[in-house]
Amino acid sequence: MDDFYDTDIGVQTSDILILPSSFLGTLWSELQKVSNEDCRRIMFACGHTVGKSLSVNYVGMGTDDLDMVLNQAWAEAGLGHLFVLDSNPEKIVVKLENLLEVAIIGADNHCDFTAGCLSGVLEGLLQQPYSVVEEMVGEETRLFKFNKK
């Protein structure tokens, strides 16, 4: 599907399907029937796809103020509050609070959808794939570290 022009708001929009947060819960619940590693990989891949799609709307803003661009893209995702702790493109560190994914799957589980979404946004903005490590699992606040691949 091509991008389309939304006459109600007068802007070009990307191909985004807006789903209720319960969809994320259903996806996670259904994936619990497969192996843990497969579940985590699939949740990450789904998030990554969403993140890459979100980044399309922000590529033209440049990356000089990565903190501002990431915050705008993340606000559109509506998955939690984002704080960029280090915006060095070699190693980006982000803190997230009030994560929707934690509210849905519980604090003791990895936020693979969120990690994938952030990774996709970064890859789209910086045209560079990133590996990601999630820290502080079990807390309401999560720390994600992204390294260039």
Side-chain angles (χ1 to χ4, degrees), residues 2-16 18 57 76:
D2 293 329
D3 289 352
F4 65 96
Y5 187 80
D6 187 332
T7 54
D8 292 338
I9 57 175
V11 297
Q12 183 85 9
T13 58
S14 62
D15 300 332
I16 299 284
I18 298 173
N57 295 325
E76 185 178 337

Side-chain angles (χ1 to χ4, degrees), residues 2 10 43 49 51 59 62 67 74 88 106 112 128-129 135 137-138 147:
D2 293 329
M43 290 292 285
T49 300
V59 170
D67 187 355
W74 197 249
N88 176 343
D112 298 305
Q128 170 68 45
E135 294 187 354
V137 175
N147 291 302

Side-chain angles (χ1 to χ4, degrees), residues 53-72:
S53 294
L54 280 173
S55 73
V56 169
N57 295 325
Y58 300 93
V59 170
M61 295 177 74
T63 57
D64 292 338
D65 190 356
L66 187 59
D67 187 355
M68 185 262 312
V69 176
L70 271 177
N71 269 288
Q72 285 191 3

Side-chain angles (χ1 to χ4, degrees), residues 83-87 91-95 143-146:
F83 304 92
V84 178
L85 303 180
D86 188 349
S87 61
K91 184 174 186 173
I92 299 167
V93 181
V94 207
K95 179 175 85 167
L143 192 69
F144 293 90
K145 294 182 178 180
F146 298 88

Side-chain angles (χ1 to χ4, degrees), residues 99-111:
L99 277 172
L100 176 65
E101 192 169 1
V102 168
I104 292 171
I105 69 172
D108 294 333
N109 297 295
H110 288 276
C111 291

Side-chain angles (χ1 to χ4, degrees), residues 42-52 112-118 120:
I42 293 167
M43 290 292 285
F44 183 90
C46 289
H48 190 268
T49 300
V50 169
K52 289 269 302 214
D112 298 305
F113 184 88
T114 299
C117 190
L118 273 170

